[in-house]
């Protein structure tokens, strides 16, 4: 087994500087040089995972193949690098303390006092060592939060101990910080970065590399100043300028700043030749689109930038493949309940209703789906979006006016969406949904079968409610095809309307498996259908 190199990335001055994307971009660059990477996120919150947290608090919950509910940064890791990650790649303070307390209750510590050092820090280190089983060349660990937060201290102490144990040749500290520009003076200030590094030094950590978020590239003089005051080599001070077009330009930006070269040189690794052609092609298509489309997203969290992050990214992958620039028209479903939909959806080439929970906005989503179905606009429903299109069809095609989901109306006479049988006895919310990858059998000749070019697929799920199987025949007699079922044929995974140009609803979350280098076929074909709709109805692409 290899002895991996450990790269630890911390953040300072401010939150939301882009540590997750920086970690993912570095992984991408190291892979382009033929190295293997494993990436881990250390989140300092006490929740076991973000599964029960509101999107207003945390943004999107990303789901791994093995059913872990994780921070959205794992989505960036998977989109920028090769591996599919698992629950071992996402660690929280809650998980750490839970594991240690469970051992204490079993008597594993033999009567000793349980303390942050060594018991908590040892558990943190063990979670990092677990990634060695994947035999990577590099283990990259992102420490969540901002240096100075009390919650992050045990994680910082753990990685300090690892530097003491493994030395400089196997460990590297990268600190991502902010160099703000004062508007009145129009001048970038390095003082916040200096103070952030001093905060790290007080915890026993000297950063080896500084990555500085800044509006414009740093001058040589500015890098020299930061180098002097922060005790970091000048060529290890990296500019991270704001990207205007796409996050997929970030690996190229760091490549031009020679971040990967600095990392390999510092860790005394071979500077292998970089094969970056695939990413260069993606960036070229992003910067040189052959047209644009307007896609409507109808979701109750559209005001939150990160609530549907994987949806936006997966749609953009479909746009890249079709060499199109996408404009996302974000619509609040509550506002659609009374609006003139003809005006709302003017010049819209496709409508997507994403997943979610709760009754708020459901009637607006159903109205949007009805409009898409009647007017032959390409429609894509995901999870709750699929359930809403089933409710809409039941009400407006089958004539069951009171059809609903038991999530929203437990006494509905037509419960076309109902609680999964396995969920009936569940009384705890955390980690109890149908989570992770499950197989699905596709009906030959269906749109889904044509898109996937396969009879069996694996997709990731996160839900408690399902299509009520006893109504399957009623729906199919009226023109809705059940085109995807679980292998035991008890769970409906995909519905579609063959008479419609492109209308499909899926119970799973395909957005969790899409990468710019390997876009998910559902998103590619949805954008292709929207492109054809635009040509036929608007006379071309804008």
């Amino acid at each position: 087994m290899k002895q991996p190199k450990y790269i630890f990335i911390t953040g300072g001055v401010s939150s939301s500087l882009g540590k997750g994307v920086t970690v993912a971009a570095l992984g991408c660059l190291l892979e382009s040089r033929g190295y293997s990477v494993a990436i881990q996120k250390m989140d300092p919150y006490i929740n076991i995972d973000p599964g029960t947290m509101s999107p207003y608090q945390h943004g999107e919950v990303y789901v791994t193949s093995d059913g872990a509910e994780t921070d959205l940064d794992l989505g960036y890791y998977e989109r920028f690098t090769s591996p599919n990650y698992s629950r071992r790649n996402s660690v929280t303070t809650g998980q750490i303390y839970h594991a240690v307390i469970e051992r204490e209750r079993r008597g594993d510590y033999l009567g000793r006092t349980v303390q942050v050092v060594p018991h908590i820090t040892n558990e943190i280190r063990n979670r990092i060592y677990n990634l060695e089983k994947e035999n990577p060349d590099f283990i990259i660990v992102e420490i969540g939060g901002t240096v100075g937060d009390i919650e992050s201290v045990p994680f910082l102490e753990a990685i300090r101990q690892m530097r003491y144990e493994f030395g400089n040749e196997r460990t590297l500290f990268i600190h991502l910080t902010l160099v703000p520009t004062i508007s009145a003076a129009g001048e970038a200030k390095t003082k916040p970065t200096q103070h952030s590094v001093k905060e790290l030094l007080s915890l026993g950590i000297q950063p080896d590399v500084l990555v500085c978020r800044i509006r414009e590239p740093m001058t040589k003089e500015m890098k020299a100043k930061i180098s002097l005051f922060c005790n970091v080599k000048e060529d290890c001070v990296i500019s991270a300028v704001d990207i205007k077009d796409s996050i997929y330009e970030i690996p190229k930006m760091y490549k031009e700043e020679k971040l990967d070269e600095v990392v390999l040189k510092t860790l005394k690794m071979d500077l292998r030749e970089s094969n970056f052609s695939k990413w260069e092609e993606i960036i070229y298509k992003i910067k040189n689109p052959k047209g644009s489309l307007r896609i409507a997203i109808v979701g109750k969290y559209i005001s939150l930038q990160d609530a549907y992050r994987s949806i936006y990214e997966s749609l953009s992958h479909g746009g890249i493949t079709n060499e199109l620039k996408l404009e996302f028209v974000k619509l609040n479903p509550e506002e659609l309940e009374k609006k003139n939909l003809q005006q709302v959806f003017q010049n819209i080439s496709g409508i997507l209703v994403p997943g979610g929970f709760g009754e708020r906005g459901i009637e607006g989503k159903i109205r949007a789906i009805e409009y898409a179905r009647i007017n032959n606009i390409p429609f894509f429903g995901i999870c709750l979006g699929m359930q809403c299109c089933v409710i809409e069809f039941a009400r407006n095609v089958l004539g069951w006016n009171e059809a609903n989901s038991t999530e929203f109306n437990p006494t509905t006479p037509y419960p076309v969406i109902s609680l999964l049988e396995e969920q009936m006895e569940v009384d705890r919310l955390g980690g109890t949904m149908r989570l992770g990858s499950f197989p699905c059998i596709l009906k030959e000749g269906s749109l889904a079968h044509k898109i996937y070019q396969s009879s069996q697929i694996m997709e990731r799920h996160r839900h408690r409610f399902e299509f009520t199987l006893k109504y399957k025949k009623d729906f199919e007699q009226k023109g809705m095809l059940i085109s995807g079922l679980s292998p035991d044929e008890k769970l409906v995974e995909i519905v579609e309307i063959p008479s419609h140009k492109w209308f499909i609803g899926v119970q799973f979350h395909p957005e969790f498996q899409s990468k710019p280098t390997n876009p998910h076929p559902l998103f590619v074909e949805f954008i292709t259908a929207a492109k054809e709709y635009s040509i036929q109805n608007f006379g071309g692409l804008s």
Side-chain angles (χ1 to χ4, degrees):
M1 186 178 285
K2 300 173 186 173
Q3 284 195 329
K5 305 283 188 176
Y6 296 99
I7 301 172
F8 302 106
I9 300 188
T10 56
V13 181
S14 171
S15 59
S16 302
L17 293 181
K19 284 199 304 298
V21 179
T22 296
V23 167
L26 177 57
C28 171
L29 291 176
L30 292 173
E31 281 193 341
S32 75
R33 293 184 181 275
Y35 289 106
S36 58
V37 300
I39 307 178
Q40 189 174 58
K41 175 71 182 286
M42 295 278 184
D43 267 311
Y45 51 74
I46 299 177
N47 304 64
I48 295 291
D49 57 46
T52 58
M53 294 167 72
S54 164
Y56 291 102
Q57 288 277 316
H58 194 264
E60 171 186 82
V61 174
Y62 189 81
V63 178
T64 59
S65 294
D66 64 343
E69 295 175 288
T70 75
D71 184 86
L72 59 83
D73 281 331
L74 263 78
Y76 289 124
Y77 303 165
E78 288 201 339
R79 286 189 283 272
F80 280 74
T81 63
S82 309
N84 285 329
Y85 294 109
S86 67
R87 62 183 67 253
R88 74 170 62 148
N89 299 91
S90 178
V91 179
T92 69
T93 295
Q95 293 172 19
I96 298 296
Y97 275 84
H98 184 266
V100 170
I101 290 169
E102 283 289 303
R103 289 198 198 100
E104 187 273 333
R105 292 290 83 188
R106 288 198 305 265
D108 293 2
Y109 297 116
L110 300 175
R112 286 172 293 184
T113 301
V114 178
Q115 297 176 292
V116 172
V117 181
H119 302 98
I120 297 299
T121 52
N122 282 352
E123 179 63 20
I124 292 169
R125 292 170 62 181
N126 288 337
R127 298 298 178 104
I128 298 172
Y129 299 148
N130 276 341
L131 298 186
E132 292 184 1
K133 297 173 184 176
E134 300 171 21
N135 206 27
D137 295 305
F138 293 93
I139 293 175
I140 308 175
V141 181
E142 175 188 352
I143 307 297
T146 305
V147 171
D149 295 344
I150 193 169
E151 296 95 337
S152 302
V153 172
F155 294 103
L156 297 172
E157 170 59 18
I159 65 175
R160 183 201 67 77
Q161 292 174 11
M162 290 184 67
R163 165 60 65 89
Y164 177 77
E165 180 180 355
F166 295 118
N168 295 353
E169 291 195 4
R170 282 192 63 193
T171 59
L172 179 80
F173 293 125
I174 298 177
H175 190 51
L176 177 63
T177 181
L178 178 68
V179 178
T181 299
I182 306 302
S183 300
E187 184 181 358
K189 294 294 184 179
T190 65
K191 189 66 71 176
T193 291
Q194 296 174 40
H195 282 297
S196 186
V197 171
K198 286 180 181 177
E199 188 80 35
L200 260 184
L201 286 169
S202 72
L203 297 165
I205 295 174
Q206 166 66 58
D208 303 296
V209 179
L210 286 176
V211 178
C212 302
R213 279 296 303 270
I214 189 169
R215 188 181 297 174
E216 301 291 340
M218 284 186 286
T219 62
K220 182 173 175 59
E221 291 75 20
M222 192 179 297
K223 286 191 175 186
K225 182 178 180 181
I226 291 174
S227 170
L228 177 65
F229 282 97
C230 297
N231 199 30
V232 174
K233 293 179 182 177
E234 192 173 326
D235 62 353
C236 293
V237 180
I238 307 293
S239 289
V241 298
D242 297 338
I243 295 295
K244 295 177 181 177
D245 292 329
S246 170
I247 61 168
Y248 301 118
E249 296 177 63
I250 292 176
K252 183 180 180 182
M253 177 196 71
Y254 281 132
K255 179 177 171 61
E256 291 170 350
E257 281 287 310
K258 300 184 179 181
L259 175 61
D260 54 333
E261 294 183 33
V262 166
V263 166
L264 292 171
K265 179 182 176 182
T266 306
L267 288 171
K268 296 182 170 53
M269 297 286 281
D270 293 336
L271 191 64
R272 299 174 182 173
E273 187 176 347
S274 175
N275 181 4
F276 203 65
S277 58
K278 189 176 287 188
W279 281 91
E280 294 278 10
E281 182 182 348
I282 289 168
I283 294 166
Y284 178 83
K285 287 182 178 180
I286 290 170
K287 288 185 167 293
N288 299 276
K290 295 181 178 178
S292 63
L293 289 177
R294 300 177 83 231
I295 303 295
I297 314 292
V298 184
K300 67 178 181 179
Y301 301 118
I302 48 90
S303 62
L304 306 175
Q305 182 177 342
D306 288 330
Y308 303 118
R309 176 50 51 201
S310 292
I311 294 283
Y312 298 139
E313 296 305 327
S314 299
L315 284 169
S316 74
H317 303 163
I320 292 167
T321 304
N322 281 278
E323 299 184 69
L324 295 171
K325 180 180 180 180
L326 302 185
E327 178 188 346
F328 300 131
V329 181
K330 302 175 183 180
L331 300 174
N332 185 334
E334 291 179 276
E335 296 176 2
L336 298 184
E337 293 177 14
K338 296 179 181 178
K339 282 191 174 182
N340 182 327
L341 296 191
Q342 188 173 356
Q343 293 179 353
V344 171
F345 292 114
Q346 189 175 10
N347 297 322
I348 294 294
S349 300
I351 299 173
L352 185 146
V353 177
F357 300 91
E359 188 177 5
R360 182 166 62 86
I362 291 300
E363 296 304 320
K365 292 178 183 180
I366 290 172
R367 280 199 76 204
I369 294 166
E370 180 186 21
Y371 189 86
R373 179 178 58 80
I374 292 173
N375 292 280
N376 238 346
I377 302 173
F379 170 77
F380 192 4
I382 295 176
C383 197
L384 179 60
M386 175 266 205
Q387 295 173 6
C388 286
C389 79
V390 168
I391 296 169
E392 188 280 324
F393 196 88
R395 289 180 183 179
N396 299 316
V397 179
L398 275 68
W400 300 345
N401 295 330
E402 297 181 66
N404 214 327
S405 166
T406 56
E407 179 182 5
F408 314 131
N409 180 7
T411 61
T412 173
Y414 296 102
V416 293
I417 302 295
S418 54
L419 193 65
L420 283 160
E421 186 177 346
E422 66 199 51
Q423 293 287 317
M424 300 233 176
E425 302 301 321
V426 170
D427 59 359
R428 301 180 70 177
L429 294 180
T432 56
M433 284 185 277
R434 187 179 185 223
L435 292 165
S437 286
F438 294 91
C440 171
I441 308 300
L442 303 182
K443 188 177 182 63
E444 288 197 22
S446 66
L447 176 61
H449 187 269
K450 178 184 175 184
I451 290 170
Y452 279 98
Q453 295 288 297
S454 177
S455 296
Q456 180 168 326
I457 58 173
M458 292 286 290
E459 291 283 2
R460 302 182 196 180
H461 292 249
R462 184 176 185 252
H463 63 104
R464 296 185 193 279
F465 291 81
E466 259 287 356
F467 182 102
T468 306
L469 198 60
K470 71 178 181 179
Y471 296 117
K472 179 176 179 287
K473 186 177 290 186
D474 297 288
F475 277 81
E476 294 199 317
Q477 285 176 348
K478 288 292 187 176
M480 177 173 275
L481 177 66
I482 310 302
S483 59
L485 288 164
S486 58
D488 61 6
E489 299 188 351
K490 291 183 178 180
L491 301 176
V492 172
E493 309 284 36
I494 307 175
V495 300
E496 57 189 70
I497 299 178
S499 62
H500 193 282
K501 286 188 176 179
W502 206 96
F503 188 107
I504 194 164
V506 298
Q507 183 58 73
F508 46 80
H509 288 270
E511 69 271 23
F512 294 151
Q513 294 200 108
S514 188
K515 301 173 187 263
T517 53
N518 185 24
H520 196 287
L522 281 172
F523 288 94
V524 171
E525 294 304 319
F526 174 57
I527 298 303
T528 301
K531 174 183 176 181
E532 292 172 359
Y533 179 88
S534 181
I535 292 170
Q536 291 171 6
N537 292 272
F538 306 139
L541 301 169
S542 56

